[in-house]
């Protein structure tokens, strides 16, 4: 286990990160703390890219593999601070837990990466083969994997460790996520004479009912490729005695391994074609939502909302190497999958880089009121990250 001094270091760093509110697009405060700490702890280089991702690097004295530890530094907002038992940006410690927004999701892991990398470099005197990269990633809560594209292009890692919460278990896959937009187009008229128009909402209702008849795709490990309606809007809004000429419905689609943008939309498009052939007044379109956000650097980040699923075999050598190292340190990691989407959608799903998840805390604490991280989990995951470096940088 970590010595007492390093345990105190990782707790203090976690607290400093929590104390900087960092909603998506406003990560500058926490990015500044992270940049300062990476330099203070002797990282060989520290880079801030155009989106505001902070990337620290420690190079071993011998050539070898590159390992990237990925942790997002943005958080979801706190809607009502009065609901919290302890202030969400004070990082107070009570009963062995640090409380605050982002403790589990996922500034605790970021603090663990930094502390472990600095400790590994110090203990080995950099006499190891390869390079260690630590990335504090922006805008993950908006776009899983979009800002990460910039990081993997810069680093070109051989391995990626996603620090999302896993209770020290090894995660080798996840379903991805697609945000699908359905649109229907009608004809406006006064609502006192509805027969003179075409109500786009009625047409959408017909489409929604038909979509519920589609059979979800299935994967033996990851489960169903769920397609679920999440919102519906019409225009003009408010209607004010006007039959709506436009309706938009958004669906959340959970993506399985091997599914492509085209393969996911194909059955929906086929259904729309059938419905439009049956009803000449129905005009409908399906596409993916496109997100556009402002970064704290002033640059714009955009991305189509399609984040692929991924899955590795638990027998893969890099997975087993890490598992055996952690077991040798006294840990008992299970090999499972994440229930939610992560930046692994890019690294593994798009780029095909060997990726696994390993993080502190419980998955179900993310985005909750009174979010916390147990100090025991925080110090243990830091120890585990040290073990990962030993396992993969040989």
């Amino acid at each position: 286990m970590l010595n007492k001094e390093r345990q105190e270091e990782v707790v203090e760093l976690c607290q400093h990160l929590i104390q900087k509110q960092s909603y998506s697009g406003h990560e500058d405060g926490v990015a500044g703390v992270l940049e300062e700490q990476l330099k203070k702890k002797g990282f060989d280089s520290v880079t801030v890219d155009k989106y505001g991702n902070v990337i620290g690097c420690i190079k071993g004295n011998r050539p070898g593999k590159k390992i990237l530890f990925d942790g997002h530094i943005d958080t979801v907002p706190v809607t009502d601070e009065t609901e919290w038992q302890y202030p969400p940006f004070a990082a107070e410690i009570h009963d062995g837990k640090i409380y605050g927004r982002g403790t589990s999701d996922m500034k605790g892991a970021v603090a663990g990466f930094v502390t472990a990398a600095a400790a590994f470099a110090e203990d080995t005197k950099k006499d190891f083969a390869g390079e260690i990269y630590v990335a504090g990633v922006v805008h993950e809560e908006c776009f899983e994997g979009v800002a990460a594209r910039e990081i993997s292009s810069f680093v070109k890692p051989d391995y990626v460790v996603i620090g999302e919460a896993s209770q020290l278990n090894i995660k080798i896959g996840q379903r991805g996520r697609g945000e699908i937009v359905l649109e229907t187009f009608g004809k406006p008229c006064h609502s006192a004479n509805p027969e003179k128009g075409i109500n786009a909402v009625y047409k959408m209702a017909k489409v929604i009912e038909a979509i519920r008849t589609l059979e979800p795709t299935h994967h033996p490990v990851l489960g169903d490729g769920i397609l679920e309606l999440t919102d519906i809007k019409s225009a003009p809004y408010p209607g004010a005695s006007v039959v709506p000429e436009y309706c938009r419905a958004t669906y959340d689609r959970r993506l399985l391994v091997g599914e492509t943008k085209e393969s996911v939309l194909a059955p929906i498009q086929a259904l729309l074609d059938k419905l439009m052939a049956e009803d000449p007044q129905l005009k409908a379109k399906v596409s993916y939502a496109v997100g556009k956000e402002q970064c704290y650097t002033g640059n714009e980040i955009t991305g189509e909302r399609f984040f692929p699923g991924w899955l590795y075999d638990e027998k893969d050598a890099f997975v087993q190497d890490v598992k055996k190292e952690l077991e040798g340190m006294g840990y008992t990691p299970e090999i499972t999958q994440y229930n939610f989407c992560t930046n692994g959608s890019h690294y593994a799903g798009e780029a095909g880089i060997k990726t696994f998840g390993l993080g502190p805390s419980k998955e179900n604490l993310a985005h909750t009121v009174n979010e916390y991280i147990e100090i025991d989990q925080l110090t243990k995951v830091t120890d585990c990250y040290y073990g990962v470096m030993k396992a993969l940088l040989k």
Side-chain angles (χ1 to χ4, degrees), residues 225-365:
I226 293 167
L227 180 65
E228 184 66 18
L229 178 68
T230 55
D231 69 49
I232 186 165
K233 299 176 182 177
S234 63
Y237 182 85
S241 301
V242 179
V243 165
E245 62 180 315
Y246 174 77
C247 188
R248 171 187 169 116
T250 305
Y251 280 81
D252 182 278
R253 172 66 151 81
R254 293 293 144 165
L255 304 171
L256 307 179
V257 175
E259 291 192 308
T260 65
K261 291 179 183 178
E262 295 76 20
S263 72
V264 168
L265 290 191
I268 301 173
Q269 185 62 59
L271 183 65
L272 293 182
D273 291 343
K274 177 176 177 289
L275 293 173
M276 287 188 286
E278 294 169 354
D279 179 358
Q281 287 191 332
L282 174 60
K283 292 181 174 61
K285 177 185 172 186
V286 64
S287 62
Y288 290 103
V290 175
K292 187 180 293 186
E293 300 283 344
Q294 193 78 14
C295 298
Y296 76 83
T297 57
N299 290 316
E300 195 172 74
I301 184 168
T302 61
E304 199 169 41
R305 294 190 185 278
F306 185 93
F307 315 113
W310 55 280
L311 182 67
Y312 284 97
D313 192 314
E314 65 177 89
K315 296 185 178 66
D316 282 343
F318 75 101
V319 177
Q320 287 300 314
D321 286 348
V322 170
K323 184 172 184 283
K324 286 171 186 171
E325 183 68 40
L326 297 183
E327 286 173 342
M329 297 166 68
Y331 297 100
T332 56
E334 292 181 29
I335 298 178
T336 59
Q337 301 81 39
Y338 280 122
N339 288 325
F340 49 83
C341 208
T342 74
N343 276 340
S345 285
H346 165 65
Y347 298 116
E350 291 179 345
I353 300 166
K354 293 174 180 176
T355 300
F356 65 93
L358 175 64
S361 201
K362 301 170 184 175
E363 295 179 39
N364 62 4
L365 287 173

Side-chain angles (χ1 to χ4, degrees), residues 119-132:
F120 186 76
E122 181 183 354
D123 293 349
T124 60
K125 297 181 173 57
K126 296 188 181 178
D127 185 24
F128 62 88
E131 301 172 23
I132 301 166

